[in-house]
């Protein structure tokens, strides 16, 4: 078995500021690439839905392929990272993600779409666990709450990907558009990947354990807290997945927006998340984690009620933006805290629950849209954002009681 914690030469120890800076830049690039590729896919969902002739519920089942591939892969990625290193897993998954995004436009039925989305979902789930694990290690080495900055890169990538998708929607077919995403993804991976492959991950002294000793044993309370943070991540990521897969369709179908304007709806959401996450480190340093989670969840709940129920296109776009501001820092805080408590295993658990919420939410909304209406289904995002705020408040209160006892 490869020795992940092998002795390092002085020049390769990532504790040096220049090495940490290079790693941070490379990881930021991969977060941005992930958001860019994913957004490029989601803004073409309406066109691919029409191409396959799928109903809302059939499309929801096809999207379940992304969920199934991602969740299954996430349960295995922690082991792969311990054996091969999370940097290597990140690079391999980036290649697979870039290749698999070109497949959906080649399908002509909901069943075929669901099958190719299994591969796309596997790559998506794998890269998210791998680079979140790498980011948690880097945050620990930097000793600053910079996790939101990595997720800001994901949101920025999503905003650019959705914006460009809206611009080319009328000029390029989904096949040509997503093939261009494949080329961009491979070029970016070739440029940024060598930095990750050359450097060992930061490893604080208390985590410099032999590979056979990892992951460390957790007591019941720590494991429970990791699951709680995973629940918070899942509730908030549900909103990201819902707006990614159904936000554009709601604007186009229910508010009569053009394809380009509908794609801009996700751009508004992604831009708001980017702004919120770019200011996330400052917000966390001033408010602390508990108040950040409570305020964010409450804001997102109000924003999504506006976004889903407003009769006006511009009011709905405003609601999307408010939702993005509210959700911005909840997922990064949850994953970072799980990683601080339980190392890479905690990241894998919280990421699985979090991205499970992101990827399982869209199929659920598809069914609810068939049973009720799409606007009514989207209000579930507000409900779960409120749940995340309540859980965050309860965890914070329990922590204060424990500190006072």
């Amino acid at each position: 078995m490869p020795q992940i914690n092998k002795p390092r030469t002085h020049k390769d120890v990532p504790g040096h500021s220049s090495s940490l800076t290079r790693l941070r830049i490379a990881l930021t690039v991969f977060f941005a690439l992930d958001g860019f590729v994913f957004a490029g896919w989601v803004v073409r969902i309406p066109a691919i839905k029409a191409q396959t002739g799928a109903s809302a519920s059939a499309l929801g089942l096809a999207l379940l392929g992304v969920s199934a591939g991602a969740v299954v892969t996430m349960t295995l990625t922690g082991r792969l990272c311990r054996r091969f290193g999370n940097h290597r897993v990140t690079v391999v998954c980036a290649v697979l993600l870039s290749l698999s995004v070109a497949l959906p436009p080649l399908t002509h039925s909901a069943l075929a779409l669901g099958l190719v989305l299994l591969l796309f979902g596997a790559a998506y789930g794998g890269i998210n666990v791998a680079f979140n694990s790498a980011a948690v290690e880097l945050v620990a080495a930097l000793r600053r709450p910079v996790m939101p900055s990595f997720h800001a890169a994901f949101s920025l990538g999503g905003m650019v990907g959705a914006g460009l998708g809206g611009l080319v929607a009328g000029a390029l077919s989904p096949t040509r558009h997503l093939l261009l995403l494949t080329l961009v993804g491979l070029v970016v991976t070739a440029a940024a990947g060598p930095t990750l492959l050359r450097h060992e991950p930061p490893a604080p002294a208390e985590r410099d354990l032999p590979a056979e000793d990892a992951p460390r044993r957790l007591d019941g309370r720590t494991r429970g807290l990791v699951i709680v943070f995973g629940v918070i991540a899942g509730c908030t990521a549900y909103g990201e997945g819902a707006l990614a897969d159904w936000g554009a369709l709601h604007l186009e179908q229910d508010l009569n927006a053009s394809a380009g304007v509908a794609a801009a709806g996700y751009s508004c959401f992604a831009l708001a998340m980017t702004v919120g996450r770019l200011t996330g480190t400052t917000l966390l340093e001033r408010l602390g984690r508990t108040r950040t989670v409570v305020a964010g969840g409450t804001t997102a709940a109000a924003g999504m009620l506006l976004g889903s129920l407003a009769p006006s296109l511009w009011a709905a776009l405003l609601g999307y933006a408010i939702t993005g501001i509210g959700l911005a820092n909840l997922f990064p805080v949850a994953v970072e805290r799980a990683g601080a408590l339980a190392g890479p295993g905690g990241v894998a658990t919280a990421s699985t629950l979090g991205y499970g919420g992101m990827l399982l939410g869209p199929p659920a909304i598809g069914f609810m849209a068939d049973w009720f209406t799409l606007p009514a289904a989207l209000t579930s995002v507000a409900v779960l954002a409120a749940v995340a705020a309540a859980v965050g408040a309860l965890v914070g209160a329990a922590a204060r009681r424990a500190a006072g006892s």
Side-chain angles (χ1 to χ4, degrees):
M1 178 179 293
Q3 295 299 309
I4 303 303
N5 294 301
K6 63 185 177 183
R8 305 166 187 166
T9 63
H10 180 76
K11 66 181 276 188
D12 288 332
V13 174
H16 291 269
S17 60
S18 61
S19 183
L20 289 174
T21 300
R22 288 193 296 272
L23 285 176
R24 185 175 181 181
I25 292 172
L27 280 174
T28 300
V29 168
F30 279 106
F31 271 85
L33 176 64
D34 187 41
F36 179 79
V37 171
F38 189 74
W41 141 247
V42 300
V43 298
R44 301 315 296 257
I45 286 177
I48 294 174
K49 176 180 183 291
Q51 174 182 301
T52 60
S55 66
S57 57
L59 178 63
L61 285 174
L63 294 173
L64 192 60
V66 182
S67 308
V71 172
V72 170
T73 303
M74 285 175 174
T75 63
L76 302 174
T77 302
R79 297 176 186 175
L80 292 175
C81 288
R82 287 193 294 272
R83 180 164 184 173
F84 300 108
N86 49 44
H87 290 178
R88 292 180 185 175
V89 175
T90 296
V91 173
V92 170
C93 288
V95 172
L96 292 176
L97 183 73
S98 300
L99 294 174
S100 61
V101 75
L103 298 178
L106 305 180
T107 63
H108 296 282
S109 70
L111 176 60
L113 178 62
L115 291 175
V116 301
L117 289 179
L118 282 170
L119 179 59
F120 180 70
Y124 182 73
I127 194 172
N128 276 281
V129 172
F131 63 35
N132 271 299
S133 297
V136 167
E137 291 177 337
L138 188 55
V139 167
L142 292 170
R143 298 184 179 182
R144 287 194 67 211
V146 299
M147 193 70 166
S149 69
F150 293 113
H151 289 260
F154 174 86
S155 297
L156 180 60
M159 181 190 69
V160 173
L164 289 178
L167 290 175
V168 305
L172 292 179
S173 67
T175 301
R176 291 183 177 180
H177 176 202
L178 298 188
L179 182 58
L180 284 175
L181 293 186
T182 293
L183 296 177
V184 170
L186 293 177
V187 169
V188 170
T189 301
T195 299
L196 291 188
L197 297 177
R198 281 197 304 265
H199 293 86
E200 289 292 317
E206 63 268 20
R207 292 188 187 173
D208 279 338
L209 301 173
E212 60 268 21
D213 292 336
R216 47 188 168 175
R217 294 181 178 179
L218 306 178
D219 58 32
R221 179 178 180 276
T222 300
R223 189 176 294 108
L225 282 173
V226 168
I227 292 174
V228 166
F229 286 121
V231 169
I232 292 174
C235 287
T236 57
Y238 177 99
E240 293 189 55
L243 282 170
D245 284 4
W246 295 101
L249 192 62
H250 166 55
L251 298 180
E252 189 173 338
Q253 172 182 290
D254 300 311
L255 298 176
N256 300 315
S258 66
V261 174
Y266 185 72
S267 295
C268 290
F269 173 75
L271 175 60
M273 290 201 80
T274 302
V275 172
R277 286 171 170 174
L278 286 173
T279 59
T281 297
T282 300
L283 190 67
L284 286 167
E285 288 175 337
R286 291 184 178 180
L287 296 183
R289 295 182 180 91
T290 298
R291 283 188 286 178
T292 297
V293 169
V294 173
T298 303
T299 300
M304 200 58 225
L305 287 176
L306 176 63
S308 59
L309 300 179
S312 148
L313 174 62
W314 298 111
L317 291 174
L318 176 62
Y320 282 14
I322 293 172
T323 304
I325 288 286
L327 294 180
N329 295 303
L330 305 192
F331 189 94
V333 168
V335 171
E336 185 272 329
R337 290 313 301 151
L341 284 168
V347 174
T349 298
S351 295
T352 299
L353 291 171
Y355 284 102
M358 173 182 283
L359 298 170
L360 290 172
I365 285 180
F367 284 108
M368 286 189 286
D370 271 355
W371 295 334
F372 307 105
T373 64
L374 181 54
L378 287 173
T379 61
S380 61
V381 174
V383 173
L384 289 183
V387 169
V391 171
L394 291 174
V395 170
R400 287 192 296 272
R401 285 196 299 270
S405 61

